[in-house]
Amino acid sequence: MLSREAINAYCKSLPQSTHVVQWGNADVWKLGGKVFAICGWSDGNSAVTFKVSELAFEILSDMPGMRPAPYLASRGMKWIQVYDDPGLPDTELMAHLDASYEMIKAKLTKMLRSELGLI
């Protein structure tokens, strides 16, 4: 899995993404005030959490090193946490971070997307 620094650098590179530290020193990445990725710790190990489609949730939930994201998935939201090896290859992880970002972008109002220069 990518390092926490690499995940943060990648999320920072996405247009108009913002960063805050919340929830016990987790790096929380947002677009338009909405979370698209969380990079933090799980049982002392690095972990990354992101939004997924319903189909991706079904597939990824059962893969080794991944699980429905604690707290978020228990509320019916489709979020996955990569918390252990083998997890995902780096390119697949970045593709899922992109997809999470795009899902959040699609839910922003047209006005907000325009204000952020995302249209």
Side-chain angles (χ1 to χ4, degrees):
M1 180 166 65
L2 289 170
S3 69
R4 186 172 182 166
E5 293 77 21
I7 293 166
N8 283 332
Y10 188 76
C11 290
K12 182 179 182 178
S13 76
L14 297 172
Q16 299 298 328
S17 63
T18 59
H19 172 256
V20 295
V21 176
Q22 290 179 246
W23 308 312
N25 201 31
D27 293 298
V28 180
W29 290 94
K30 298 180 181 186
L31 176 63
K34 306 285 186 190
V35 175
F36 71 90
I38 303 166
C39 189
W41 298 99
S42 172
D43 304 323
N45 297 318
S46 188
V48 61
T49 303
F50 47 87
K51 184 176 182 69
V52 294
S53 68
E54 287 193 35
L55 179 59
F57 184 82
E58 294 303 318
I59 294 168
L60 297 175
S61 293
D62 293 328
M63 293 179 67
M66 293 186 272
R67 63 183 171 202
Y71 308 108
L72 296 169
S74 66
R75 295 190 171 124
M77 294 183 242
K78 304 302 181 197
W79 286 74
I80 289 290
Q81 183 177 76
V82 181
Y83 69 97
D84 200 1
D85 290 332
L88 291 169
D90 296 350
T91 55
E92 284 186 44
L93 176 56
M94 289 186 293
H96 281 288
L97 292 171
D98 285 338
S100 181
Y101 173 92
E102 291 296 328
M103 282 186 267
I104 296 302
K105 182 170 117 178
K107 291 191 178 263
L108 299 178
T109 64
K110 188 174 182 179
M111 180 183 286
L112 183 53
R113 287 194 311 267
S114 179
E115 288 172 10
L116 294 172
L118 298 171
I119 292 181

